[in-house]
Amino acid sequence: KTIPIWAAVLNRAVARLRATQQSGDAHQSAQKWDTDLHLPPWCSTNEQTQCDVQLNVWVDRLMEVLEEGGILSSLARDPNLKP
């Protein structure tokens, strides 16, 4: 479950960065960015819900650590990160 969680955190961080960029193309790209959590089918609904609740908190923490968010958008190119 760790890899899907990290993929979702990185994808949300990149989407957040792209949404804050000035150009219209970047905004459209951010809207298409997959920010969903894709856990394996054997994970319970309760477990998925608990992870979903924490995702934005983890994104906030990542953004704090990487104040220069341009690093994330250069690392994550289409297609979206998936486990």
Side-chain angles (χ1 to χ4, degrees):
K1 295 176 279 189
T2 302
I3 293 172
I5 290 169
W6 271 107
V9 169
L10 290 171
N11 282 330
R12 286 182 185 207
V14 170
R16 203 183 278 183
L17 289 169
R18 289 181 175 205
T20 61
Q21 292 176 350
Q22 298 298 325
S23 74
D25 291 340
H27 185 66
Q28 278 185 332
S29 177
Q31 288 178 336
K32 294 178 188 176
W33 204 260
D34 182 4
T35 60
D36 293 337
L37 177 61
H38 301 280
L39 289 177
W42 61 82
C43 290
S44 69
T45 305
N46 184 38
E47 200 169 9
Q48 174 134 4
T49 301
Q50 289 175 349
C51 289
D52 276 333
V53 168
Q54 289 295 318
L55 280 177
N56 287 328
V57 173
W58 295 328
V59 171
D60 292 340
R61 288 182 183 166
L62 177 64
M63 300 299 281
E64 288 173 12
V65 171
L66 300 174
E67 290 180 22
E68 292 297 319
I71 296 169
L72 284 176
S73 44
S74 69
L75 291 175
R77 300 279 184 222
D78 283 335
N80 299 318
L81 296 173
K82 292 209 174 155

